[in-house]
Amino acid sequence: MSCILKVEKLFSGYKELIIKDVSFEVNAGEVICLIGANGSGKSTLLSSLVNMNFKNFVCSKNSVWVNGKSISFMNRNEIAKNISYMIQNESCVWNFSVYDFICLGNYFSKNIFENKIDEILSTLNIFELKNKNVNQLSGGEFQKVRIARTIFQNTPVLLFDEPISNLDINYQYSLLKSIRKIVKEKKSCAIISIHDINLASIFADKIFLLKKINECSENENQLLVGNSEEILTSKTLSTCFNTKLETFLHPEYKKIQVYVKGNLNDETK
């Protein structure tokens, strides 16, 4: 498989270091699920991949490459053509229709086709929202529209920061299934920050487990990379999430699943 996204010795943070010496590769057609405890730096890692210019945000140079080109030498339009990024929280001050809002995902292109947007809306089962005002949508509906805009950007790399928050369990499943289908068909790649470890195990080709920097020993990697069997072990997860966790094999999907057994300090069985 060809490598689309390469990250090497990435350091970033806000005033203080949050991401330390992280390296990985993502190949064409791969779906990555990024998991980790609150405050471990998942959003910071994703922001680093698009060289976000936040106040007090510092990121190492020449650490991120897309199709062999460093994003440090790309302008904002070039980055937008290569990486689409759905941030965790967003609002819209303008009374755009859903259709116009999705068009913003491909503002740098002169070729915007309505039938392509219709196709994405249909794939995500939200075609009925097309002509609605985005400011009149429910939180879950707006989340789905933001996902549609990210997909419409049509880049080789897709980044989603908690895309299934605010969504019911049925749509969480169907959304991840749709993203996986799109990535496989287009031979792009996706990194999805997610809290539901069990869904991550079912849909991810690889699991990225990000640990808090202050909980890593001097020679310990902050980011663990592997398949669900390698990463989702009781010992690793219990340490990372400071909770007693156990695993079992899903009877239908044959994927590792996780459940809470108790508090680490609870001596009862």
mmCIF file of all heavy atoms in Angstrom, residues 1-2 4 26-32 156 179-190 203-205:
data_model
loop_
_atom_site.group_PDB
_atom_site.id
_atom_site.type_symbol
_atom_site.label_atom_id
_atom_site.label_comp_id
_atom_site.label_asym_id
_atom_site.label_seq_id
_atom_site.Cartn_x
_atom_site.Cartn_y
_atom_site.Cartn_z
ATOM 1 N N MET A 1 0.838 -1.203 0.000
ATOM 2 C CA MET A 1 0.000 0.000 0.000
ATOM 3 C C MET A 1 0.873 1.254 0.000
ATOM 4 O O MET A 1 1.935 1.268 0.610
ATOM 5 C CB MET A 1 -0.920 0.006 1.224
ATOM 6 C CG MET A 1 -1.993 -1.059 1.203
ATOM 7 S SD MET A 1 -3.139 -0.894 2.591
ATOM 8 C CE MET A 1 -2.051 -1.315 3.954
ATOM 9 N N SER A 2 0.401 2.288 -0.699
ATOM 10 C CA SER A 2 1.158 3.532 -0.769
ATOM 11 C C SER A 2 0.861 4.417 0.428
ATOM 12 O O SER A 2 -0.276 4.513 0.896
ATOM 13 C CB SER A 2 0.823 4.282 -2.059
ATOM 14 O OG SER A 2 -0.556 4.598 -2.108
ATOM 15 N N ILE A 4 0.154 7.786 2.244
ATOM 16 C CA ILE A 4 -0.392 9.110 1.945
ATOM 17 C C ILE A 4 0.083 10.126 2.979
ATOM 18 O O ILE A 4 0.581 11.202 2.633
ATOM 19 C CB ILE A 4 -1.930 9.083 1.924
ATOM 20 C CG1 ILE A 4 -2.448 8.222 0.772
ATOM 21 C CG2 ILE A 4 -2.475 10.508 1.797
ATOM 22 C CD1 ILE A 4 -3.955 8.184 0.674
ATOM 23 N N VAL A 26 0.217 6.601 7.505
ATOM 24 C CA VAL A 26 -1.124 6.134 7.166
ATOM 25 C C VAL A 26 -1.159 5.887 5.661
ATOM 26 O O VAL A 26 -0.805 6.771 4.876
ATOM 27 C CB VAL A 26 -2.215 7.149 7.561
ATOM 28 C CG1 VAL A 26 -3.605 6.559 7.275
ATOM 29 C CG2 VAL A 26 -2.091 7.529 9.029
ATOM 30 N N ASN A 27 -1.592 4.701 5.281
ATOM 31 C CA ASN A 27 -1.587 4.301 3.876
ATOM 32 C C ASN A 27 -2.936 4.539 3.197
ATOM 33 O O ASN A 27 -3.960 4.741 3.861
ATOM 34 C CB ASN A 27 -1.219 2.816 3.759
ATOM 35 C CG ASN A 27 0.173 2.527 4.250
ATOM 36 O OD1 ASN A 27 1.109 3.278 3.979
ATOM 37 N ND2 ASN A 27 0.331 1.436 4.989
ATOM 38 N N ALA A 28 -2.918 4.493 1.890
ATOM 39 C CA ALA A 28 -4.140 4.650 1.095
ATOM 40 C C ALA A 28 -5.150 3.581 1.487
ATOM 41 O O ALA A 28 -4.806 2.396 1.605
ATOM 42 C CB ALA A 28 -3.815 4.557 -0.392
ATOM 43 N N GLY A 29 -6.386 3.990 1.709
ATOM 44 C CA GLY A 29 -7.456 3.058 2.041
ATOM 45 C C GLY A 29 -7.570 2.716 3.511
ATOM 46 O O GLY A 29 -8.424 1.921 3.892
ATOM 47 N N GLU A 30 -6.750 3.332 4.356
ATOM 48 C CA GLU A 30 -6.771 2.999 5.781
ATOM 49 C C GLU A 30 -7.658 3.948 6.577
ATOM 50 O O GLU A 30 -7.642 5.160 6.362
ATOM 51 C CB GLU A 30 -5.358 3.031 6.372
ATOM 52 C CG GLU A 30 -4.530 1.811 6.030
ATOM 53 C CD GLU A 30 -3.224 1.756 6.810
ATOM 54 O OE1 GLU A 30 -2.664 2.826 7.127
ATOM 55 O OE2 GLU A 30 -2.763 0.636 7.095
ATOM 56 N N VAL A 31 -8.399 3.366 7.527
ATOM 57 C CA VAL A 31 -9.170 4.124 8.499
ATOM 58 C C VAL A 31 -8.515 3.929 9.857
ATOM 59 O O VAL A 31 -8.362 2.801 10.332
ATOM 60 C CB VAL A 31 -10.636 3.647 8.556
ATOM 61 C CG1 VAL A 31 -11.382 4.364 9.679
ATOM 62 C CG2 VAL A 31 -11.326 3.903 7.227
ATOM 63 N N ILE A 32 -8.104 5.048 10.454
ATOM 64 C CA ILE A 32 -7.448 5.024 11.758
ATOM 65 C C ILE A 32 -8.396 5.592 12.798
ATOM 66 O O ILE A 32 -8.988 6.651 12.595
ATOM 67 C CB ILE A 32 -6.153 5.876 11.749
ATOM 68 C CG1 ILE A 32 -5.249 5.490 10.580
ATOM 69 C CG2 ILE A 32 -5.438 5.770 13.090
ATOM 70 C CD1 ILE A 32 -4.755 4.075 10.604
ATOM 71 N N PRO A 156 -7.131 13.768 -0.057
ATOM 72 C CA PRO A 156 -6.560 12.442 0.212
ATOM 73 C C PRO A 156 -6.511 12.093 1.693
ATOM 74 O O PRO A 156 -6.474 10.919 2.051
ATOM 75 C CB PRO A 156 -5.156 12.518 -0.389
ATOM 76 C CG PRO A 156 -4.850 13.971 -0.498
ATOM 77 C CD PRO A 156 -6.158 14.651 -0.727
ATOM 78 N N ILE A 179 -18.059 6.439 6.195
ATOM 79 C CA ILE A 179 -16.699 6.973 6.074
ATOM 80 C C ILE A 179 -15.741 5.890 5.612
ATOM 81 O O ILE A 179 -14.907 6.116 4.717
ATOM 82 C CB ILE A 179 -16.228 7.564 7.419
ATOM 83 C CG1 ILE A 179 -17.031 8.825 7.760
ATOM 84 C CG2 ILE A 179 -14.732 7.889 7.374
ATOM 85 C CD1 ILE A 179 -16.701 9.422 9.113
ATOM 86 N N ARG A 180 -15.867 4.710 6.170
ATOM 87 C CA ARG A 180 -14.992 3.604 5.778
ATOM 88 C C ARG A 180 -15.195 3.256 4.301
ATOM 89 O O ARG A 180 -14.231 3.029 3.566
ATOM 90 C CB ARG A 180 -15.274 2.391 6.663
ATOM 91 C CG ARG A 180 -14.354 1.206 6.370
ATOM 92 C CD ARG A 180 -14.571 0.065 7.356
ATOM 93 N NE ARG A 180 -13.747 -1.074 6.994
ATOM 94 C CZ ARG A 180 -12.486 -1.218 7.350
ATOM 95 N NH1 ARG A 180 -11.908 -0.305 8.103
ATOM 96 N NH2 ARG A 180 -11.792 -2.268 6.978
ATOM 97 N N LYS A 181 -16.435 3.234 3.857
ATOM 98 C CA LYS A 181 -16.747 2.916 2.459
ATOM 99 C C LYS A 181 -16.131 3.953 1.513
ATOM 100 O O LYS A 181 -15.525 3.604 0.495
ATOM 101 C CB LYS A 181 -18.256 2.860 2.268
ATOM 102 C CG LYS A 181 -18.730 2.507 0.856
ATOM 103 C CD LYS A 181 -20.246 2.365 0.836
ATOM 104 C CE LYS A 181 -20.752 1.959 -0.546
ATOM 105 N NZ LYS A 181 -20.628 3.049 -1.528
ATOM 106 N N ILE A 182 -16.264 5.235 1.866
ATOM 107 C CA ILE A 182 -15.722 6.314 1.031
ATOM 108 C C ILE A 182 -14.199 6.232 0.949
ATOM 109 O O ILE A 182 -13.603 6.378 -0.121
ATOM 110 C CB ILE A 182 -16.174 7.682 1.584
ATOM 111 C CG1 ILE A 182 -17.674 7.870 1.337
ATOM 112 C CG2 ILE A 182 -15.386 8.826 0.945
ATOM 113 C CD1 ILE A 182 -18.279 9.039 2.093
ATOM 114 N N VAL A 183 -13.556 5.984 2.090
ATOM 115 C CA VAL A 183 -12.094 5.893 2.126
ATOM 116 C C VAL A 183 -11.597 4.732 1.271
ATOM 117 O O VAL A 183 -10.607 4.861 0.532
ATOM 118 C CB VAL A 183 -11.605 5.740 3.588
ATOM 119 C CG1 VAL A 183 -10.141 5.312 3.641
ATOM 120 C CG2 VAL A 183 -11.797 7.044 4.333
ATOM 121 N N LYS A 184 -12.277 3.601 1.348
ATOM 122 C CA LYS A 184 -11.859 2.435 0.567
ATOM 123 C C LYS A 184 -12.042 2.694 -0.928
ATOM 124 O O LYS A 184 -11.182 2.332 -1.745
ATOM 125 C CB LYS A 184 -12.664 1.206 0.988
ATOM 126 C CG LYS A 184 -12.483 0.787 2.437
ATOM 127 C CD LYS A 184 -11.042 0.413 2.749
ATOM 128 C CE LYS A 184 -10.903 -0.007 4.205
ATOM 129 N NZ LYS A 184 -9.499 -0.325 4.560
ATOM 130 N N GLU A 185 -13.165 3.308 -1.300
ATOM 131 C CA GLU A 185 -13.444 3.554 -2.708
ATOM 132 C C GLU A 185 -12.497 4.577 -3.320
ATOM 133 O O GLU A 185 -12.021 4.414 -4.437
ATOM 134 C CB GLU A 185 -14.893 4.016 -2.884
ATOM 135 C CG GLU A 185 -15.924 2.922 -2.647
ATOM 136 C CD GLU A 185 -17.342 3.435 -2.748
ATOM 137 O OE1 GLU A 185 -17.537 4.677 -2.792
ATOM 138 O OE2 GLU A 185 -18.274 2.602 -2.788
ATOM 139 N N LYS A 186 -12.214 5.650 -2.589
ATOM 140 C CA LYS A 186 -11.369 6.727 -3.100
ATOM 141 C C LYS A 186 -9.890 6.480 -2.857
ATOM 142 O O LYS A 186 -9.037 7.243 -3.329
ATOM 143 C CB LYS A 186 -11.785 8.064 -2.470
ATOM 144 C CG LYS A 186 -13.152 8.561 -2.912
ATOM 145 C CD LYS A 186 -13.452 9.920 -2.300
ATOM 146 C CE LYS A 186 -14.744 10.497 -2.841
ATOM 147 N NZ LYS A 186 -14.637 10.815 -4.279
ATOM 148 N N LYS A 187 -9.580 5.435 -2.073
ATOM 149 C CA LYS A 187 -8.197 5.154 -1.698
ATOM 150 C C LYS A 187 -7.547 6.366 -1.032
ATOM 151 O O LYS A 187 -6.378 6.690 -1.264
ATOM 152 C CB LYS A 187 -7.387 4.689 -2.911
ATOM 153 C CG LYS A 187 -7.816 3.314 -3.422
ATOM 154 C CD LYS A 187 -6.989 2.864 -4.604
ATOM 155 C CE LYS A 187 -7.264 1.406 -4.952
ATOM 156 N NZ LYS A 187 -8.690 1.068 -5.101
ATOM 157 N N SER A 188 -8.365 7.059 -0.226
ATOM 158 C CA SER A 188 -7.868 8.147 0.609
ATOM 159 C C SER A 188 -7.522 7.545 1.967
ATOM 160 O O SER A 188 -7.342 6.325 2.086
ATOM 161 C CB SER A 188 -8.926 9.245 0.729
ATOM 162 O OG SER A 188 -10.147 8.714 1.207
ATOM 163 N N CYS A 189 -7.426 8.353 3.008
ATOM 164 C CA CYS A 189 -7.227 7.813 4.352
ATOM 165 C C CYS A 189 -7.924 8.727 5.354
ATOM 166 O O CYS A 189 -8.173 9.899 5.066
ATOM 167 C CB CYS A 189 -5.737 7.671 4.688
ATOM 168 S SG CYS A 189 -4.829 9.225 4.831
ATOM 169 N N ALA A 190 -8.251 8.190 6.519
ATOM 170 C CA ALA A 190 -8.973 8.960 7.531
ATOM 171 C C ALA A 190 -8.438 8.658 8.921
ATOM 172 O O ALA A 190 -8.093 7.512 9.232
ATOM 173 C CB ALA A 190 -10.469 8.654 7.479
ATOM 174 N N PHE A 203 -14.454 -0.717 13.308
ATOM 175 C CA PHE A 203 -14.319 -0.022 12.031
ATOM 176 C C PHE A 203 -12.887 0.346 11.650
ATOM 177 O O PHE A 203 -12.628 0.658 10.482
ATOM 178 C CB PHE A 203 -15.177 1.245 12.035
ATOM 179 C CG PHE A 203 -16.645 0.966 11.924
ATOM 180 C CD1 PHE A 203 -17.464 0.995 13.040
ATOM 181 C CD2 PHE A 203 -17.210 0.651 10.696
ATOM 182 C CE1 PHE A 203 -18.819 0.721 12.933
ATOM 183 C CE2 PHE A 203 -18.559 0.376 10.584
ATOM 184 C CZ PHE A 203 -19.366 0.407 11.698
ATOM 185 N N ALA A 204 -11.960 0.334 12.580
ATOM 186 C CA ALA A 204 -10.601 0.802 12.279
ATOM 187 C C ALA A 204 -9.729 -0.295 11.686
ATOM 188 O O ALA A 204 -9.801 -1.455 12.093
ATOM 189 C CB ALA A 204 -9.952 1.359 13.544
ATOM 190 N N ASP A 205 -8.888 0.102 10.735
ATOM 191 C CA ASP A 205 -7.837 -0.799 10.254
ATOM 192 C C ASP A 205 -6.688 -0.822 11.244
ATOM 193 O O ASP A 205 -6.026 -1.837 11.433
ATOM 194 C CB ASP A 205 -7.334 -0.338 8.883
ATOM 195 C CG ASP A 205 -8.413 -0.417 7.811
ATOM 196 O OD1 ASP A 205 -8.911 -1.530 7.570
ATOM 197 O OD2 ASP A 205 -8.771 0.631 7.239
#
